[in-house]
Amino acid sequence: MRVNFVLSEVATGLRRNLTMTVAMILTTAISLGLMGTGLLIAGMISDMKEIYYDKVQVSIFLADDVTDEQRSAIEQQLAGSPEVANHIYESKDEAYARFQQQFSQQPELVQNTPADALPESFRVELVNPERYEVIAAEFPNGQNGVDQVRDEGDFLDRLFSLLNGARNATIAVAVVQALAALLLISNTIQLAAFNRRNETNIMRLVGASRWYTQLPFILEAALAGLIGALLAIGGLVVTKVLFVDKTLAGPIRAGIIPPVDWGAIAFISPVIAAAGVGLAGVAAYVTLRLYVRI
Amino acid sequence: MIELQHVTKLYPASSRPALDDVSTEIDKGEFVFLIGSSGSGKSTFLRLLLKEDDPTKGNVIVNGKTLNTMSKWQVPKLRRTIGCVFQDFRLLRNRTVAQNVAFALEVINKPQRTIKRVVPEVLEMVGLEGKAQRLPSELSGGEQQRVAIARAFVNRPLVLLADEPTGNLDPETSEGIMLLLERINRTGTTVVMATHDYHIVDSMRRRVIELNGGALTRDQSRGVYGVGR
């Protein structure tokens, strides 16, 4: 295979259809960028699940006037319960310290909150997180020093269904964009093949192999896919630096939201690049098989 | 060299066959005129030899290969043994004469060394040695057809197919082209030429195969164009 010949054909083709090429690259970039965002959100969700679900499933908040006997009775009951895998006691001071850390970006809120405003609590990890009702029944609200039993899992479920929805919406838009990108690629390749029909007809007649005839078109699409992928990766890097790292700095430092680290971007970049190159190449190949006689 | 066995070709859009039970044989080194009015099946005949189309019925054999059973990936190999010339030259307008000829070799992976050697040779043979760097638009019709012939012949094909190669040319220029095709034929290349040009057919007195409405109606060695023209 004459590399120079193929490369010069690719360059000529991309230049000749400049507007179509730009459109093709941009749609590909947007699609892949959204796909990357979806993957990052998915990674973030699983990180968050590890942070939250493992730590706590049920919180038992104690009343302000709880007595020492009531507290130790609750603790014994938890220690003896077969439903409970683990439990941690958090005092008012500890709760306040965690609150201070979580809201360190909002000093007014911290200043305006008295140190004893936050209740002491037991953080309970269940053997089976679904069995919240059983624990709630064992510790009726407002009795024996218990103020309230809250299923953190329920809150987390709602949070995660929101995040999952965001991820799904992102990926759905990515898929629609990918469809548009594929159609554009197909169109561009048809146009390129039409522009070069004299060359390809002659190639066919003098016995150039099918592969030799098609490769410039496939490479043309694959190159556009690669450029689109690079733009998408650049977009993700810019989003991380300018949006995630700046705007979400507080919650990330407080441990509420896991950070988007470079490792995650480095991990999905090859996936995006492969998807861009692969999809564009396959779209071009299928187009040539279906629409173009070579 | 070339053999058609009861070949029928039907195009989907037409009820009348383009070729109707045609059988013939062309030996190595022959020069054959394929004549007949427009729509008589001459172009279909040539297309089948190139495996641009497959016959509906019958067998086409070229250079010892039965084309019906040939797989797709073998077709390029077949076409490397067949040269093609057309009425409309089919040159690449943005490439010089030498580049047009070299293109046919480049795309079948001939080494650059060979290309550098054989392109000037073949251009000299067709009488264009001084015009290698010209663009096709700077040449006359006859000269453009010589470039096309040089491109068809540069890879030394066993068969040269010419579809009305003089159709766009005046009689004197046509004569020059015919001399060139004769010369190529003398190197042992089989030449099959579809034509309407009765002057040429009558003056050359070569084998004539006449098609009429897709049927082979005459096959005559040293023939003339005929009275029915």
Side-chain angles (χ1 to χ4, degrees):
Chain A
M1 183 78 38
R2 206 176 303 282
V3 178
N4 276 348
F5 169 80
V6 173
L7 291 185
S8 79
E9 287 290 294
V10 171
T12 319
L14 286 174
R15 239 180 302 127
R16 193 151 28 181
N17 298 322
L18 193 61
T19 51
M20 283 292 271
T21 306
V22 170
M24 178 164 93
I25 288 174
L26 288 181
T27 36
T28 309
I30 293 171
S31 165
L32 292 173
L34 289 172
M35 189 186 93
T37 310
L39 289 176
L40 285 178
I41 294 178
M44 209 162 150
I45 290 173
S46 76
D47 284 354
M48 280 176 87
K49 279 189 176 160
E50 268 173 45
I51 293 177
Y52 288 106
Y53 275 132
D54 284 359
K55 277 186 191 159
V56 67
Q57 286 149 358
V58 175
S59 296
I60 300 172
F61 294 102
L62 304 187
D64 279 341
D65 56 0
V66 65
T67 63
D68 287 347
E69 293 80 48
Q70 284 173 327
R71 192 184 295 120
S72 56
I74 293 168
E75 179 142 33
Q76 271 169 24
Q77 202 176 339
L78 286 172
S81 168
E83 301 283 345
V84 173
N86 208 349
H87 67 278
I88 310 164
Y89 170 73
E90 189 182 65
S91 69
K92 276 180 181 275
D93 292 344
E94 284 163 347
Y96 184 66
R98 198 159 62 87
F99 172 80
Q100 275 180 313
Q101 194 203 359
Q102 260 177 24
F103 293 94
S104 58
Q105 295 300 299
Q106 286 144 286
E108 308 86 16
L109 183 66
V110 175
Q111 271 163 26
N112 293 330
T113 307
D116 65 347
L118 295 159
E120 55 189 303
S121 62
F122 284 100
R123 310 258 145 169
V124 180
E125 193 185 321
L126 298 182
V127 174
N128 175 2
E130 312 281 308
R131 305 267 290 165
Y132 156 73
E133 299 295 340
V134 180
I135 287 290
E138 278 183 44
F139 300 98
N141 287 356
Q143 289 176 35
N144 309 325
V146 174
D147 178 43
Q148 197 189 22
V149 179
R150 197 162 73 197
D151 182 7
E152 304 285 1
D154 185 45
F155 165 74
L156 289 178
D157 285 346
R158 269 181 289 150
L159 175 70
F160 284 126
S161 79
L162 193 76
L163 286 172
N164 280 329
R167 177 198 62 191
N168 293 346
T170 312
I171 288 177
V173 177
V175 167
V176 172
Q177 277 286 332
L179 197 66
L182 289 181
L183 292 176
L184 259 172
I185 289 167
S186 169
N187 246 312
T188 311
I189 293 305
Q190 284 182 58
L191 199 65
F194 182 77
N195 278 334
R196 271 181 276 164
R197 65 195 180 286
N198 288 334
E199 278 90 342
T200 50
N201 274 332
I202 292 165
M203 286 167 88
R204 193 156 52 88
L205 284 175
V206 300
S209 65
R210 204 185 161 93
W211 192 226
Y212 205 104
T213 315
Q214 292 184 341
L215 196 63
F217 296 105
I218 294 173
L219 284 182
E220 194 177 317
L223 183 64
L226 181 65
I227 296 172
L230 293 178
L231 286 177
I233 292 166
L236 289 180
V237 169
V238 169
T239 309
K240 169 180 160 51
V241 172
L242 293 186
F243 174 71
V244 179
D245 287 358
K246 289 230 170 97
T247 315
L248 300 178
I252 287 173
R253 221 169 311 148
I256 299 173
I257 299 175
V260 177
D261 53 19
W262 291 114
I265 290 185
F267 180 73
I268 62 166
S269 290
V271 176
I272 290 178
V277 171
L279 284 178
V282 169
Y285 179 75
V286 170
T287 303
L288 292 169
R289 291 302 289 236
L290 291 183
Y291 298 106
V292 183
R293 185 185 172 140
I294 282 180
Chain B
M1 177 90 327
I2 295 172
E3 195 179 347
L4 275 72
Q5 298 169 338
H6 302 287
V7 169
T8 296
K9 176 65 186 173
L10 278 160
Y11 286 110
S14 162
S15 56
R16 202 172 56 82
L19 282 181
D20 191 358
D21 193 28
V22 172
S23 295
T24 189
E25 216 173 306
I26 297 169
D27 287 332
K28 182 169 166 51
E30 271 198 278
F31 194 116
V32 180
F33 285 116
L34 195 59
I35 66 168
S37 53
S38 299
S40 59
K42 302 191 297 290
S43 295
T44 302
F45 190 110
L46 296 181
R47 286 172 66 82
L48 292 182
L49 297 186
L50 279 168
K51 199 169 162 70
E52 286 250 50
D53 265 323
D54 286 322
T56 315
K57 259 187 273 174
N59 285 323
V60 179
I61 298 160
V62 176
N63 299 336
K65 305 253 164 47
T66 306
L67 304 195
N68 311 37
T69 56
M70 183 180 273
S71 63
K72 261 193 171 159
W73 60 269
Q74 285 178 307
V75 174
K77 221 169 156 191
L78 165 80
R79 290 186 182 150
R80 287 177 199 192
T81 65
I82 303 175
C84 279
V85 181
F86 300 93
Q87 183 173 1
D88 56 0
F89 319 138
R90 302 200 185 170
L91 300 177
L92 300 172
R93 284 181 303 165
N94 53 351
R95 288 174 202 251
T96 65
V97 167
Q99 284 169 347
N100 262 284
V101 177
F103 184 77
L105 296 173
E106 279 166 5
V107 299
I108 58 169
N109 267 330
K110 289 280 176 189
Q112 205 65 43
R113 220 170 340 105
T114 313
I115 297 175
K116 281 212 176 93
R117 181 168 50 79
V118 298
V119 170
E121 275 174 22
V122 77
L123 285 179
E124 192 190 335
M125 179 193 164
V126 301
L128 289 173
E129 57 272 28
K131 303 197 166 166
Q133 302 313 315
R134 302 281 188 88
L135 287 173
S137 55
E138 299 166 342
L139 302 179
S140 71
E143 288 170 330
Q144 289 187 47
Q145 192 60 293
R146 284 167 189 272
V147 179
I149 292 171
R151 182 180 65 197
F153 187 64
V154 69
N155 197 28
R156 306 283 158 159
L158 300 170
V159 181
L160 185 75
L161 304 179
D163 195 357
E164 311 213 19
T166 60
N168 276 341
L169 305 175
D170 62 62
E172 280 116 279
T173 312
S174 298
E175 208 176 307
I177 295 295
M178 291 317 297
L179 285 173
L180 184 55
L181 291 180
E182 253 195 318
R183 210 178 136 191
I184 284 172
N185 178 233
R186 277 203 300 275
T187 67
T189 303
T190 310
V191 178
V192 180
M193 171 171 160
T195 187
H196 280 129
D197 193 329
Y198 56 86
H199 287 298
I200 288 174
V201 177
D202 289 353
S203 66
M204 301 248 312
R205 304 302 299 266
R206 297 296 191 117
R207 181 176 170 190
V208 170
I209 293 174
E210 183 170 355
L211 293 171
N212 200 333
L216 196 157
T217 53
R218 178 159 64 114
D219 185 350
Q220 190 179 14
S221 58
R222 308 185 63 77
V224 292
Y225 198 91
V227 282
R229 60 176 176 260

